[in-house]
Amino acid sequence: DAKTTQPTSMDCAEGRAANLPCNHSTISGNEYVYWYRQIHSQGPQYIIHGLKNNETNEMASLIITEDRKSSTLILPHATLRDTAVYYCIVRDNDYKLSFGAGTTVTVRA
Amino acid sequence: GAGVSQSPSNKVTEKGKDVELRCDPISGHTALYWYRQRLGQGLEFLIYFQGNSAPDKSGLPSDRFSAERTGESVSTLTIQRTQQEDSAVYLCASSLAFGLAGGGEQETQYFGPGTRLLVL
C-alpha cells in the first residue's frame, strides 16, 4: 500500500516559492513525515521532517495539517539547483527507507 | 560538518571479479545502512549495522554479498564473483542512533553520494 501520494511532476519559476503537496491520510500517531530529494545521479538528500508541528530549517519549511493527513514542503526561493525528485515518506521506527515515485520538480529560469 | 562519504565513486569491473565498496559514516553515528538503487528504481535495503554488529542481513541478495563494520566507523560492502545484475548505485547512510522512540531526529538517515558499480 502506498502510504503517501504526491503529484508526479511540477514546474516552478526560479526565485519563486515551490509548494510540494503530499497526502498521507493513513498516517498513525507515531509516524513522522520526512522529505528527501534526489538530484540526478546523486544520493538522496535529507531535507526536513516533522511530527505534528510545522518545521523550518535552512533548506525548507514543512507545513503539516492539524489532522496530519497531508503536508506541504515549501522551498522559499527555488533555484535551478533545486531541480530534483522530491520524496515524501512517513515512518516510525522502520529503518528500511522506501521511496515512492516522488514529485519531479523542474525549476525554470 | 563532514557528511557520509563513499569510495570509489565509480567502479567498472568484469563479471566474476570481486569488488569492495567503502563507506565512512558521519562521525559519532552509531547506525549505518547499505542500500542499492538500480537505474530508475527505488531504494532496496541491504543491511544495517548497530555499532559493529549487523542484526538484520535480510536484504543481502545472495551469499556473494557480505559487509562488515569496524570500530563503529568505516564499513565495507563486498560483492564476490560479480554478475551483471549487480550493476547499480550502492548507497550508504548513517544515523545518530537506532531503535529509540522511532522516526525522530536521532534516527534520521543521511546518505552518501553512492558508488556506481558497472559489471561488464
Side-chain angles (χ1 to χ4, degrees), chain A residues 6 20 35-47 59 73 81-88 98-106, chain B residues 6 35-44 88-92 111-116:
Chain A
Q6 300 177 248
L20 282 63
W35 284 84
Y36 283 84
R37 72 181 182 184
Q38 195 163 21
I39 297 170
H40 182 62
S41 299
Q42 296 183 22
Q45 180 185 21
Y46 164 76
I47 301 174
M59 288 184 67
L73 178 74
R81 288 175 294 181
D82 292 323
T83 293
V85 181
Y86 287 76
Y87 299 101
C88 168
S98 174
F99 295 162
T103 297
T104 299
V105 174
T106 303
Chain B
Q6 293 185 246
Y35 294 86
R36 179 168 71 177
Q37 188 173 33
R38 290 198 168 102
L39 187 62
Q41 300 192 16
L43 295 180
E44 179 185 0
V89 176
Y90 288 81
L91 293 160
C92 175
F111 285 83
T115 293
R116 285 150 194 79

Side-chain angles (χ1 to χ4, degrees), chain A residues 19-33:
Chain A
N19 297 303
L20 282 63
C22 180
N23 288 324
H24 30 80
S25 58
T26 61
I27 192 170
S28 62
N30 59 344
E31 287 185 312
Y32 286 75
V33 179

